[in-house]
C-alpha cells in the first residue's frame, strides 16, 4: 500500500448527486488512477472527493430515481457488459476484480441472479409476474442468465447490484488507494452554487434532517442531478395519488389506506383507478396492482390472464393522456440490425444527412423509414403507424405481439430498429458494425468514435440552436422526436401485452385529458376528470428541469442559451456571465433545453444540447473518458496550472484535423447527398401516386428499385406512361433539394459533439504531458 506524505498537493472535487452517472464516474476515476499511478506519484498530488446525495440511504448509492433498490418495476432494456477504457493494460493484474466491479455491471447482475436463481424466480412470481416472465425468457437450461440482449429483471435489482459494486470500490479505495479520498454525504442536497470565483466554485449544501445549510469550496465541481421528477397533479389531487417508487408493498398499503382493498387484501370489485400517461411509468404499476386481484395466473414461463376474473373488474383502470392513440409501443427489436430484406438507407447516407448545417434531418429521414417499412410489410407509407384511437392502437399492438412471439417481423420491430439506427448514426443495415468500419475508412475525421451515443446525445443540437429555433419553429422535428423517444424506450412484451390485453378485455379504458383537468371532488373526495370518477390515482413523477433546485439557482450566474438553460462548451463546462470558463461540469438535465413561444404563437424548443441523461449505457461510456478528464484536470492543477480547463481545450483544438482535411472529407460526400435526396424525392412521389390508387402491391414493386439511379429512371419512364404528370411531379420535388452545406469543423467538434471521445482525450493527454507554466496560451474559439 502506497503512503501519502504531508506535502502532497490535494485537489478537491465536489459532486452533486450520487446516482448512476456520478457513481459510475467515481468508480472509473479509481480505475483511471490505478492506470496512471506513476504520474500521480511524480506530481505528488491526491484527489479529495466530496459527494452530496439527497437520498439518505447509503444502500441506494448509484441507484438514482430509476433504479431505487426497493423498485419492483421491470427493466425495459438489457445491461451493458464490460466497457473498454484507455490504458486498462496499465492496471496491475491483482486489481482485475476492481476493474470488473467498475465497468462490467452486466456480469455482476448475472452473477447475482445465477447464485440464487430459485429465490429470485419465486420473489418475482409473488411481486411482479412480468419480471418473472422476463427472467424465465433470459435464462437458459443450464441456469445462465443473458443480461446483454434484452430486459430480464427488476430495476431494483440493478440498483442493488450497482450499489454493491460501488461499495466494493469505495472500500477498496479507502484501504488500498491513499491517493484518493472519497466522502459521501447521504441525506444532503445541493441547493445552490457560487461561481463568483470561477476557478474556485462553491456548492451550497443543505442537511435534509437539520435543514442547516453549509457552503463548500472546491477546485472542480461535477453536477449530475439526473432526472428530477415532479408530481404532476395539484396538491389536493396528490393527497389521493401514488407517485412513489413502484413497490408492491407500498402500493398495497396505499390502496388499503384509501379503502380500495377488501378484507382478503384484494382490490374490491367496482373499484376505479386512474393512471396518468401512456408511457413506461404508467405501465410500471399495472402488474403489481394485478397481483392484488385474481386476474393474473402464474405459469411456468410467465403469466396468463383469467378472462372470467377480468369480467369482474370491468373499467378498473382508466389511463389519462392528452394524446389519443399515442401510447408506449412494444419492444420488438432489441438491436439496430435491420430485420427486413431490402434497406432504403445506408450508413454513409445517414452520416451525410447529419452533416448538413441546420437541417431538420428527422423530418427528412422519417418518410424514408416509413416507405421502407411499408415495402417490407406490404402496405403504403400512409398506413404505417396510422392514426388510431387508444383502444384500436392497443388491439393492433396485441396482434403484433402475437406475430412477434411467432418470430415474425412486425411493423413495430422495423420502426424501432430503424429509429435506433438513425439516432445512433446508422442507416438500415443488416450488419451495422461492418457498415461503421467501412465508413470510418471513407470519413475517418467525422466518423471515428462517433457512432452510438455521441450521435444520440447531439442529434438535436443544431435544430435547437437559438439562431435556428427562434427563426423558424422546429415543431416538425419534435413531432417526430416524441414518437422516436417512445420507441427507443419501448416496453418489453411481457408487460406491454399485459396492458394491451386489459384493454381488449375491458379492464382498461382511456380518457383524453391533461394533468390540469384532473380534480378532487370535495363532496365525495373522488379524483375526477370530467364525468369519470376514481377512488385513487396513480400519477408517476414527470421529468421537469424546473424541479432541479440547483439548476434553477444557476440562472443569471452562467452564460445561457435560453433562460434556465446553460450554454455548454466542449467537455460540458460552463461559462460565467463574463465569458470565463467555470470549473464546473454538468451532465444533468441542464442540457435538455426549454420550450419557447415565437411571436406568431408557434412553439419551438431551444437548447437541447444532449439527450442521454437517463441512459445507463451512455453513462458508462461517458464515464470511461470523463474520469480521465477529471484526472488530467487534477494533474494540471498539481503542476501549477491555474487554468486547466482552458489548457485542455487549447490542446484539444491544437490536435484537431486541419480545416483543409476536414473540408476535403465532408466535400467528398456531396455525391452521397445528391443520391439520397433523389431517392427521397422518388419515394415521396411514389407514395403520392400509389396512395391515390390504394395499390400497395405496385408500391412494393416500384419502391424496391429506389436504391439504384438507373432503376429509378426506368420506373419513372414507365410510370410517366400511366400518369403523364409523374416526371413533372418528380422534377418539382428535385427542385426543392437544398445544396449540400456541411457544418464547419469547429462547430462539429466544439459545439455539436460536447464530449471528448477516447481517442481525442488521449491526444490531449499526450499534448499536455510536458506542460509547464506559460507553455500554452488559451485562445477561445469563435464558434
Amino acid at each position: 500500500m502506497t503512503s501519502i506524505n504531508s506535502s502532497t498537493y490535494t485537489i478537491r472535487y465536489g459532486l452533486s448527486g450520487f446516482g448512476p452517472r456520478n457513481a459510475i464516474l467515481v468508480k472509473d476515476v479509481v480505475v483511471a488512477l490505478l492506470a496512471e499511478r506513476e504520474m500521480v506519484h511524480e506530481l505528488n498530488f491526491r484527489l479529495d472527493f466530496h459527494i452530496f446525495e439527497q437520498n439518505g440511504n447509503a444502500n441506494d448509492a448509484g441507484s438514482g430515481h430509476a433504479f431505487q433498490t426497493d423498485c419492483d418495476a421491470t427493466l425495459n432494456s438489457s445491461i451493458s457488459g464490460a466497457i473498454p477504457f484507455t490504458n486498462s493494460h496499465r492496471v496491475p493484474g491483482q486489481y482485475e476484480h476492481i476493474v470488473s466491479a467498475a465497468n462490467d455491471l452486466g456480469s455482476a447482475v448475472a452473477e447475482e441472479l445465477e447464485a440464487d436463481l430459485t429465490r429470485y424466480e419465486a420473489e418475482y412470481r409473488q411481486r411482479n409476474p412480468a419480471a418473472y416472465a422476463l427472467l424465465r425468457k433470459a435464462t437458459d437450461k443450464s441456469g445462465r442468465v443473458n443480461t446483454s440482449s434484452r430486459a430480464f429483471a427488476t430495476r431494483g435489482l440493478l440498483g442493488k447490484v450497482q450499489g454493491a459494486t460501488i461499495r466494493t470500490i469505495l472500500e477498496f479505495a479507502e484501504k488500498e488507494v491513499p491517493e484518493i479520498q472519497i466522502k459521501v454525504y447521504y441525506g444532503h442536497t445541493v441547493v445552490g452554487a457560487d461561481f463568483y470565483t470561477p476557478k474556485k466554485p462553491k456548492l451550497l449544501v443543505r442537511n435534509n434532517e437539520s435543514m442547516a445549510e453549509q457552503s463548500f469550496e472546491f477546485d472542480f465541481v461535477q453536477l449530475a442531478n439526473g432526472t428530477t421528477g415532479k408530481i404532476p397533479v395539484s396538491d389536493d389531487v396528490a393527497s389521493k395519488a401514488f407517485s412513489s417508487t413502484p413497490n408492491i408493498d407500498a402500493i398495497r398499503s396505499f390502496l388499503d389506506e384509501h379503502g380500495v382493498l377488501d378484507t382478503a387484501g384484494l382490490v374490491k370489485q367496482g373499484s376505479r383507478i386512474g393512471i396518468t400517461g401512456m408511457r413506461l411509468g404508467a405501465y410500471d404499476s399495472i402488474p403489481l396492482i394485478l397481483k392484488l386481484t385474481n386476474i393474473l395466473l402464474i405459469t411456468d414461463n410467465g403469466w396468463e390472464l383469467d378472462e372470467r376474473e377480468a369480467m369482474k373488474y370491468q373499467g378498473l383502470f382508466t389511463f389519462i393522456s392528452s394524446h389519443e392513440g399515442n401510447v408506449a409501443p412494444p419492444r420488438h427489436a432489441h438491436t439496430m440490425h435491420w430485420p427486413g430484406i431490402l434497406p432504403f438507407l445506408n450508413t454513409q447516407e445517414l452520416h451525410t444527412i447529419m452533416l448538413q448545417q441546420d437541417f431538420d434531418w428527422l423530418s427528412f429521414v422519417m418518410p424514408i423509414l416509413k416507405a421502407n417499412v411499408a415495402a417490407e410489410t406490404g402496405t403504403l407509407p400512409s398506413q404505417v403507424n396510422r392514426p388510431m384511437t387508444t383502444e384500436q392502437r392497443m388491439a393492433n399492438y396485441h396482434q403484433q405481439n402475437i406475430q412477434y412471439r411467432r418470430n415474425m417481423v412486425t411493423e413495430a420491430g422495423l420502426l424501432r430498429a430503424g429509429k435506433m439506427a438513425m439516432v445512433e448514426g446508422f442507416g438500415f443495415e443488416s450488419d451495422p458494425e461492418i457498415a461503421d468500419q467501412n465508413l470510418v475508412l471513407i470519413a475517418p475525421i467525422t466518423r471515428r468514435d462517433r457512432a452510438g451515443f455521441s450521435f444520440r446525445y447531439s442529434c438535436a443540437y443544431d435544430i435547437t440552436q437559438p439562431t435556428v429555433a427562434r427563426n423558424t419553429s422546429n415543431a416538425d422535428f419534435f413531432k417526430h422526436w416524441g414518437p422516436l423517444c417512445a420507441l427507443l424506450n419501448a416496453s418489453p412484451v411481457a408487460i406491454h401485452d399485459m396492458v394491451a390485453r386489459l384493454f381488449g378485455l375491458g379492464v382498461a379504458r382511456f380518457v383524453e385529458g391533461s394533468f390540469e383537468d384532473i380534480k378532487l371532488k370535495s363532496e365525495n373526495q373522488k379524483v375526477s376528470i370530467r364525468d369519470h370518477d376514481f377512488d385513487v390515482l396513480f400519477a408517476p413523477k414527470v421529468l421537469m428541469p424546473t424541479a432541479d433546485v440547483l439548476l434553477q439557482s444557476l440562472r443569471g450566474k452562467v452564460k445561457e442559451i435560453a433562460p434556465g438553460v446553460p450554454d455548454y462548451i466542449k467537455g460540458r463546462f460552463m461559462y460565467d456571465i463574463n465569458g470565463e470558463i467555470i470549473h464546473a461540469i454538468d451532465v444533468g438535465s441542464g442540457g435538455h433545453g426549454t420550450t419557447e413561444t415565437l411571436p406568431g404563437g408557434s412553439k419551438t424548443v431551444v437548447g437541447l444540447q444532449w439527450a442521454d441523461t437517463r441512459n445507463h449505457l451512455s453513462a458508462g461510456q461517458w464515464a470511461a473518458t470523463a474520469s480521465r478528464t477529471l484526472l488530467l484536470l487534477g494533474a494540471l492543477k498539481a503542476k501549477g496550472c491555474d487554468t486547466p480547463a482552458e489548457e485542455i481545450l487549447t490542446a484539444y483544438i491544437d490536435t484537431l484535423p486541419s480545416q483543409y482535411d476536414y473540408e476535403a472529407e465532408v466535400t467528398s460526400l456531396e455525391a452521397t447527398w445528391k443520391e439520397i435526396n433523389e431517392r427521397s424525392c422518388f419515394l415521396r412521389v411514389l407514395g403520392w401516386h400509389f396512395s391515390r390508387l390504394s395499390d400497395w402491391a405496385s408500391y412494393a414493386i416500384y419502391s424496391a428499385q429506389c436504391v439504384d439511379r438507373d432503376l429509378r429512371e426506368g420506373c419513372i419512364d414507365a410510370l410517366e406512361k400511366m400518369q403523364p404528370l409523374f416526371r413533372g411531379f418528380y422534377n418539382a420535388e428535385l427542385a426543392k433539394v437544398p445544396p449540400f452545406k456541411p457544418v464547419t469543423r469547429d462547430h462539429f467538434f466544439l459545439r455539436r459533439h460536447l464530449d471528448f471521445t477516447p481517442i481525442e482525450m488521449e491526444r490531449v493527454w499526450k499534448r499536455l504531458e510536458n506542460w509547464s507554466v506559460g507553455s500554452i496560451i488559451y485562445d477561445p474559439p469563435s464558434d
Side-chain angles (χ1 to χ4, degrees), residues 123-173:
E123 177 182 319
Y124 291 169
R125 286 170 68 102
Q126 292 300 316
R127 301 183 71 84
N128 187 341
Y132 171 64
L134 292 173
L135 180 56
R136 291 289 296 169
K137 183 74 172 178
T139 307
D140 65 19
K141 294 180 180 179
S142 66
R144 301 297 301 273
V145 180
N146 182 348
T147 62
S148 63
S149 63
R150 61 192 65 197
F152 56 90
T154 63
R155 299 204 294 270
L157 175 70
L158 179 64
K160 171 185 172 182
V161 175
Q162 174 140 292
T165 64
I166 291 166
R167 288 190 293 276
T168 295
I169 298 292
L170 294 180
E171 291 167 5
F172 166 78

Side-chain angles (χ1 to χ4, degrees), residues 632-689:
L632 181 56
L633 286 167
L636 289 170
K637 187 78 175 172
K639 283 186 175 185
C641 177
D642 294 326
T643 56
E646 285 87 343
E647 303 304 345
I648 287 176
L649 291 177
T650 299
Y652 176 71
I653 293 170
D654 288 346
T655 58
L656 287 177
S658 69
Q659 295 278 6
Y660 176 85
D661 288 342
Y662 175 84
E663 291 172 8
E665 177 175 296
V666 297
T667 301
S668 72
L669 296 170
E670 186 167 6
T672 305
W673 172 259
K674 180 180 179 182
E675 162 61 24
I676 191 55
N677 273 277
E678 288 180 2
R679 187 183 310 154
S680 173
C681 292
F682 175 75
L683 289 169
R684 195 154 52 244
V685 177
L686 271 189
W688 164 79
H689 177 68

